[in-house]
Short mmCIF file of all heavy atoms in Angstrom, two decimals:
data_model
loop_
_atom_site.label_atom_id
_atom_site.label_comp_id
_atom_site.label_asym_id
_atom_site.label_seq_id
_atom_site.Cartn_x
_atom_site.Cartn_y
_atom_site.Cartn_z
N ARG A 256 3.41 40.54 5.65
CA ARG A 256 4.60 40.38 6.48
C ARG A 256 4.50 39.02 7.14
O ARG A 256 3.44 38.63 7.60
CB ARG A 256 4.70 41.49 7.52
CG ARG A 256 4.89 42.84 6.90
CD ARG A 256 5.16 43.89 7.96
NE ARG A 256 5.39 45.18 7.36
CZ ARG A 256 6.55 45.58 6.85
NH1 ARG A 256 7.58 44.77 6.87
NH2 ARG A 256 6.69 46.77 6.32
N PHE A 257 5.63 38.31 7.21
CA PHE A 257 5.62 36.95 7.71
C PHE A 257 7.01 36.54 8.13
O PHE A 257 7.97 37.30 7.95
CB PHE A 257 5.09 35.99 6.63
CG PHE A 257 5.59 36.34 5.25
CD1 PHE A 257 6.83 35.92 4.82
CD2 PHE A 257 4.82 37.11 4.40
CE1 PHE A 257 7.30 36.26 3.57
CE2 PHE A 257 5.28 37.46 3.14
CZ PHE A 257 6.52 37.02 2.72
N GLU A 258 7.13 35.36 8.70
CA GLU A 258 8.42 34.78 9.06
C GLU A 258 8.65 33.55 8.20
O GLU A 258 7.72 32.79 7.92
CB GLU A 258 8.46 34.40 10.53
CG GLU A 258 8.45 35.60 11.44
CD GLU A 258 8.55 35.23 12.91
OE1 GLU A 258 8.18 34.08 13.28
OE2 GLU A 258 9.00 36.07 13.69
N LEU A 259 9.90 33.37 7.77
CA LEU A 259 10.28 32.24 6.93
C LEU A 259 11.40 31.45 7.59
O LEU A 259 12.29 32.04 8.21
CB LEU A 259 10.76 32.72 5.56
CG LEU A 259 9.73 33.44 4.70
CD1 LEU A 259 10.42 34.04 3.48
CD2 LEU A 259 8.63 32.49 4.26
N SER A 260 11.37 30.16 7.43
CA SER A 260 12.47 29.33 7.91
C SER A 260 13.62 29.40 6.92
O SER A 260 13.45 29.84 5.77
CB SER A 260 12.01 27.89 8.07
OG SER A 260 11.74 27.34 6.79
N ALA A 261 14.78 28.94 7.34
CA ALA A 261 15.96 28.93 6.45
C ALA A 261 15.69 28.12 5.19
O ALA A 261 16.16 28.47 4.11
CB ALA A 261 17.17 28.37 7.19
N GLY A 262 14.89 27.06 5.30
CA GLY A 262 14.58 26.23 4.14
C GLY A 262 13.72 26.91 3.09
O GLY A 262 13.67 26.46 1.95
N ALA A 263 13.05 27.99 3.46
CA ALA A 263 12.18 28.70 2.52
C ALA A 263 12.92 29.78 1.75
O ALA A 263 12.36 30.40 0.85
CB ALA A 263 11.00 29.32 3.27
N LEU A 264 14.17 30.02 2.10
CA LEU A 264 14.97 31.07 1.46
C LEU A 264 16.09 30.47 0.62
O LEU A 264 16.58 29.38 0.92
CB LEU A 264 15.60 31.98 2.53
CG LEU A 264 14.62 32.80 3.35
CD1 LEU A 264 15.26 33.21 4.65
CD2 LEU A 264 14.18 34.02 2.57
N ARG A 265 16.53 31.20 -0.38
CA ARG A 265 17.69 30.85 -1.18
C ARG A 265 18.57 32.09 -1.28
O ARG A 265 18.07 33.19 -1.44
CB ARG A 265 17.31 30.43 -2.61
CG ARG A 265 16.40 29.24 -2.70
CD ARG A 265 17.11 27.97 -2.25
NE ARG A 265 16.23 26.83 -2.27
CZ ARG A 265 15.47 26.44 -1.27
NH1 ARG A 265 15.47 27.10 -0.14
NH2 ARG A 265 14.70 25.39 -1.36
N LEU A 266 19.87 31.88 -1.19
CA LEU A 266 20.83 32.98 -1.28
C LEU A 266 21.74 32.74 -2.48
O LEU A 266 22.27 31.64 -2.63
CB LEU A 266 21.66 33.05 0.00
CG LEU A 266 22.81 34.05 0.04
CD1 LEU A 266 22.29 35.48 -0.08
CD2 LEU A 266 23.60 33.87 1.33
N ALA A 267 21.87 33.73 -3.32
CA ALA A 267 22.79 33.65 -4.47
C ALA A 267 23.87 34.70 -4.26
O ALA A 267 23.57 35.88 -4.07
CB ALA A 267 22.04 33.91 -5.77
N ILE A 268 25.13 34.26 -4.29
CA ILE A 268 26.24 35.19 -4.10
C ILE A 268 26.96 35.33 -5.42
O ILE A 268 27.54 34.36 -5.94
CB ILE A 268 27.21 34.68 -3.00
CG1 ILE A 268 26.46 34.55 -1.68
CG2 ILE A 268 28.40 35.62 -2.87
CD1 ILE A 268 27.27 33.98 -0.55
N GLY A 269 26.92 36.52 -5.97
CA GLY A 269 27.56 36.81 -7.24
C GLY A 269 28.86 37.56 -7.06
O GLY A 269 29.32 37.78 -5.94
N ALA A 270 29.42 37.97 -8.17
CA ALA A 270 30.71 38.67 -8.16
C ALA A 270 30.56 40.13 -7.74
O ALA A 270 31.56 40.79 -7.47
CB ALA A 270 31.35 38.58 -9.53
N SER A 271 29.34 40.65 -7.69
CA SER A 271 29.13 42.05 -7.33
C SER A 271 27.87 42.18 -6.47
O SER A 271 27.13 41.21 -6.28
CB SER A 271 28.96 42.90 -8.59
OG SER A 271 27.72 42.61 -9.21
N ARG A 272 27.63 43.37 -5.97
CA ARG A 272 26.43 43.62 -5.18
C ARG A 272 25.17 43.42 -6.02
O ARG A 272 24.15 43.00 -5.51
CB ARG A 272 26.44 45.04 -4.63
CG ARG A 272 27.42 45.22 -3.52
CD ARG A 272 27.33 46.61 -2.96
NE ARG A 272 28.26 46.74 -1.85
CZ ARG A 272 28.19 47.67 -0.95
NH1 ARG A 272 27.25 48.58 -1.02
NH2 ARG A 272 29.07 47.72 0.02
N ARG A 273 25.26 43.72 -7.29
CA ARG A 273 24.11 43.57 -8.19
C ARG A 273 23.69 42.11 -8.35
O ARG A 273 22.53 41.83 -8.60
CB ARG A 273 24.43 44.11 -9.57
CG ARG A 273 24.33 45.57 -9.68
CD ARG A 273 24.51 45.91 -11.13
NE ARG A 273 23.65 47.03 -11.44
CZ ARG A 273 23.76 47.72 -12.52
NH1 ARG A 273 24.67 47.40 -13.41
NH2 ARG A 273 22.97 48.73 -12.73
N THR A 274 24.64 41.22 -8.25
CA THR A 274 24.35 39.81 -8.49
C THR A 274 24.31 38.98 -7.20
O THR A 274 24.35 37.76 -7.26
CB THR A 274 25.36 39.20 -9.47
OG1 THR A 274 26.68 39.37 -8.95
CG2 THR A 274 25.27 39.85 -10.84
N THR A 275 24.22 39.65 -6.06
CA THR A 275 24.09 38.97 -4.78
C THR A 275 22.71 39.28 -4.23
O THR A 275 22.37 40.44 -4.02
CB THR A 275 25.20 39.41 -3.80
OG1 THR A 275 26.46 39.10 -4.38
CG2 THR A 275 25.07 38.73 -2.47
N PHE A 276 21.90 38.23 -4.04
CA PHE A 276 20.51 38.45 -3.64
C PHE A 276 19.98 37.22 -2.92
O PHE A 276 20.59 36.15 -2.95
CB PHE A 276 19.64 38.73 -4.87
CG PHE A 276 19.65 37.61 -5.88
CD1 PHE A 276 18.71 36.59 -5.81
CD2 PHE A 276 20.60 37.57 -6.89
CE1 PHE A 276 18.72 35.55 -6.74
CE2 PHE A 276 20.62 36.54 -7.82
CZ PHE A 276 19.67 35.53 -7.74
N TYR A 277 18.85 37.40 -2.25
CA TYR A 277 18.14 36.27 -1.68
C TYR A 277 16.74 36.24 -2.27
O TYR A 277 16.25 37.25 -2.76
CB TYR A 277 18.11 36.30 -0.15
CG TYR A 277 17.34 37.44 0.47
CD1 TYR A 277 16.05 37.25 0.92
CD2 TYR A 277 17.93 38.69 0.64
CE1 TYR A 277 15.34 38.29 1.52
CE2 TYR A 277 17.24 39.72 1.24
CZ TYR A 277 15.94 39.52 1.68
OH TYR A 277 15.25 40.54 2.27
#
Side-chain angles (χ1 to χ4, degrees):
R256 295 187 178 278
F257 39 83
E258 291 183 336
L259 296 171
S260 68
L264 294 158
R265 299 292 177 270
L266 174 63
I268 300 176
S271 70
R272 287 184 178 198
R273 280 187 145 166
T274 57
T275 300
F276 59 91
Y277 65 99

